[in-house]
Amino acid sequence: MGKDSTFRKFLKSMKFRLILLFSVIGILPCLIFCVGLLRAYEDRALNLHSIDITSQAKILATQIAANNYIDHPEMESITAQLTQLSNIYDGRVMLIDRAFQIVADTYALDEQKTIISEEVIRSFSGKEISKYDKKSRYLEMTIPITETGNKKVTGVMLVSVSMDGVMNNKDLVARHATVLALLLSVFILGFAVFVSGRLVRPLRKMEKSIRDIQTGYGDGELQIDQFTETREMSESFNQLLTRMRVLDDSRQEFVSNVSHELKTPLTSMKVLADSLNSMEDAPVELYKEFMEDITNEIERENKIITDLLSLVKMDKSAADLNITTVNINEMLELILKRLRPIAEKQNIELVLETFRPVTAEIDEVKLTLAVTNLVENGIKYNQESGWVHVTLNADHQYFYVKVEDSGIGIPEEALEHIYERFYRVDKSHSREIGGTGLGLAITRNAVLMHRGAIKAYSTEGEGTIFTIRIPLNYIV
């Protein structure tokens, strides 16, 4: 339940992050667009207003120059036009002569006063100056008044215009834009909630299916096909589930086999012991015979336990390997030397053939056990007066050990199962010669721990060949 709760929290967190992501992706561009739109509107409005005022002021400046109004500011028509220009644009117009005196002021406040400013001075050199004071919302322009023909600047027209009207329009546009942005944000937020819900829904369904499978109420497979990703996740989960079921079946089978194999000798010993106990005057010969059978069963039990412990050690990580540089030729000679008495007892010929000296980095104990199992099997499951040939060869990267016998062989359908724990091709014959069904599993694990490979080839009634390939240098 704790894990399910954690997963639900993860889904909620994921949904929240998706909503946040979609909201940011959708709303942020809208806000940027609105800000950019308002700035563009303000700049455009100022530019148009400035152009309009400048054109009107230039026309008036031409008339002023033509009528020499700077020196004789008595012409009422021009005075009226100055007043009209001031009224139309809600501003103030002043005319300044070359002595920097104000000769005309539509506000009639500063006439005959002196005004010296950077803009006025620059306009006397023939430049038109336009400056916008954003704080006070005033646009100020200075326009040179030049004589017709010689372009001599005789005065400067200073126009100060209020931009309140333009700014009020901008504020109105800003309010409309804000309302539109809010509506759009609500729509985007709703869309984000909808889309994130759609995206998270398959994961919720997957989480529910997993819980159903855990509690045994599911159909055993995930089928989430809404998106390509969820379909691939379902397929991967189903593959993992199948693998886990195989492992679980293998574990149960292994436990069952171990229980059976350990119980069989105990059952035999109990039967023998009960038989002895039921006889009041058991003959010494029978007593010895039964005790010998009990001893054999104890040895069999001990061998099973020993092989199981070896298998458990093989199942551990490769970090448990004790890697040393070993002379493989000498190792194989020692293995065959130990097994030769067993082979001679069964009249089996043991032959070692080496093509070149081989030295490799291996765990000598584990690999010796692996090869010993192969040679020992070759001896045990052989024909009368048969043979077991062991061959050693190598190239620049691997060394190869081949164990070939003239034994009873393995049926083709059994070859794929020979490395399974407790698997026996001929169970009655295996128990008769004392096999536990763990030898080849131990051998295969030892080879794999060395990053090697093992293959088996067999023809029933003719013999079996096992080949082992091991790297000369251990690969970490």
Side-chain angles (χ1 to χ4, degrees), residues 360-391:
E361 297 175 355
I362 62 168
D363 184 317
E364 186 175 7
V365 174
K366 288 184 174 59
L367 204 56
T368 295
L369 180 60
V371 177
T372 299
N373 284 337
L374 293 180
V375 178
E376 196 170 12
N377 281 351
I379 295 171
K380 289 178 179 179
Y381 300 98
N382 217 311
Q383 308 281 2
E384 184 69 27
S385 302
W387 48 264
V388 176
H389 290 175
V390 181
T391 306

Side-chain angles (χ1 to χ4, degrees), residues 419-466:
Y419 302 112
E420 295 176 8
R421 299 167 185 184
F422 295 110
Y423 181 81
R424 295 186 181 90
V425 177
D426 185 347
K427 295 184 179 180
S428 60
H429 188 52
S430 296
R431 286 201 173 94
E432 183 182 326
I433 62 175
T436 63
L438 296 172
L440 288 180
I442 293 171
T443 298
R444 180 176 178 273
N445 281 19
V447 171
L448 294 180
M449 289 177 75
H450 284 82
R451 307 294 190 268
I454 181 170
K455 292 183 179 181
Y457 310 90
S458 184
T459 302
E460 194 171 5
E462 295 183 10
T464 303
I465 300 174
F466 282 93

Side-chain angles (χ1 to χ4, degrees), residues 327-382:
N327 186 314
I328 306 300
N329 304 69
E330 293 179 358
M331 184 189 80
L332 293 179
E333 288 175 1
L334 185 58
I335 291 172
L336 265 62
K337 182 180 178 181
R338 291 172 181 167
L339 294 176
R340 192 158 275 116
I342 300 174
E344 289 175 353
K345 184 184 292 187
Q346 297 184 218
N347 199 24
I348 303 297
E349 180 186 20
L350 276 184
V351 179
L352 173 62
E353 184 178 9
T354 59
F355 290 89
R356 55 181 51 83
V358 178
T359 301
E361 297 175 355
I362 62 168
D363 184 317
E364 186 175 7
V365 174
K366 288 184 174 59
L367 204 56
T368 295
L369 180 60
V371 177
T372 299
N373 284 337
L374 293 180
V375 178
E376 196 170 12
N377 281 351
I379 295 171
K380 289 178 179 179
Y381 300 98
N382 217 311

Side-chain angles (χ1 to χ4, degrees), residues 95-115:
L95 297 180
I96 304 162
D97 63 13
R98 294 192 62 81
F100 298 100
Q101 281 191 337
I102 299 172
V103 298
D105 181 3
T106 56
Y107 279 12
L109 296 174
D110 295 325
E111 290 179 353
Q112 304 306 317
K113 291 183 180 180
T114 301
I115 180 171

Side-chain angles (χ1 to χ4, degrees), residues 70-326:
I70 295 293
D71 295 330
H72 305 284
E74 296 88 9
M75 186 175 286
E76 292 186 3
S77 61
I78 293 179
T79 303
Q81 290 184 55
L82 288 172
T83 303
Q84 185 180 17
L85 180 67
S86 174
N87 292 335
I88 290 173
Y89 293 106
D90 189 22
R92 180 182 185 184
V93 180
M94 291 186 292
L95 297 180
I96 304 162
D97 63 13
R98 294 192 62 81
F100 298 100
Q101 281 191 337
I102 299 172
V103 298
D105 181 3
T106 56
Y107 279 12
L109 296 174
D110 295 325
E111 290 179 353
Q112 304 306 317
K113 291 183 180 180
T114 301
I115 180 171
I116 299 176
S117 67
E118 181 185 353
E119 290 78 13
V120 173
I121 294 172
R122 289 175 65 188
S123 287
F124 271 111
S125 64
K127 296 180 179 179
E128 293 179 6
I129 309 297
S130 178
K131 186 178 73 172
Y132 175 61
D133 187 346
K134 200 166 187 177
K135 186 176 181 180
S136 60
R137 291 187 173 186
Y138 260 84
L139 177 66
E140 187 176 272
M141 292 177 289
T142 53
I143 299 165
I145 301 171
T146 58
E147 293 182 355
T148 306
N150 58 15
K151 303 296 181 183
K152 180 182 177 182
V153 179
T154 59
V156 171
M157 180 186 294
L158 192 153
V159 182
S160 298
V161 178
S162 173
M163 298 298 292
D164 284 340
V166 174
M167 292 300 105
N168 289 337
N169 289 336
K170 178 198 168 186
D171 292 340
L172 181 62
V173 171
R175 285 195 292 272
H176 288 312
T178 301
V179 172
L180 181 62
L182 287 174
L183 292 175
L184 196 58
S185 298
V186 171
F187 172 77
I188 291 171
L189 186 61
F191 180 75
V193 172
F194 173 75
V195 172
S196 61
R198 290 274 296 176
L199 292 175
V200 173
R201 190 177 302 159
L203 296 179
R204 291 189 183 279
K205 187 177 179 182
M206 184 175 292
E207 185 259 347
K208 182 179 181 301
S209 298
I210 291 173
R211 281 191 287 110
D212 289 343
I213 291 170
Q214 286 177 336
T215 54
Y217 291 102
D219 58 5
E221 280 195 350
L222 287 182
Q223 296 293 337
I224 315 297
D225 299 328
Q226 277 86 341
F227 305 106
T228 302
E229 293 77 6
T230 55
R231 182 169 61 251
E232 291 176 352
M233 288 173 64
S234 297
E235 291 173 355
S236 298
F237 177 81
N238 290 333
Q239 291 173 2
L240 176 62
L241 189 62
T242 300
R243 177 61 179 163
M244 290 176 64
R245 283 170 175 165
V246 170
L247 290 174
D248 188 59
D249 291 342
S250 176
R251 178 186 60 81
Q252 291 182 6
E253 183 181 0
F254 177 71
V255 171
S256 176
N257 288 335
V258 168
S259 301
H260 176 74
E261 293 296 332
L262 292 176
K263 187 177 180 181
T264 301
L266 290 173
T267 302
S268 299
M269 285 187 281
K270 186 176 186 306
V271 169
L272 292 169
D274 288 344
S275 298
L276 286 176
N277 288 331
S278 65
M279 299 179 189
E280 295 183 0
D281 296 317
V284 176
E285 293 79 8
L286 183 62
Y287 186 84
K288 287 183 178 181
E289 181 184 346
F290 277 28
M291 289 305 295
E292 185 176 347
D293 291 339
I294 291 174
T295 301
N296 291 335
E297 293 299 329
I298 292 172
E299 289 179 358
R300 182 181 168 194
E301 187 95 0
N302 185 60
K303 183 169 177 54
I304 292 172
I305 293 171
T306 301
D307 284 352
L308 281 172
L309 291 174
S310 298
L311 199 57
V312 169
K313 291 179 181 178
M314 294 294 181
D315 281 341
K316 292 185 178 179
S317 64
D320 294 330
L321 289 175
N322 181 24
I323 301 298
T324 57
T325 302
V326 177

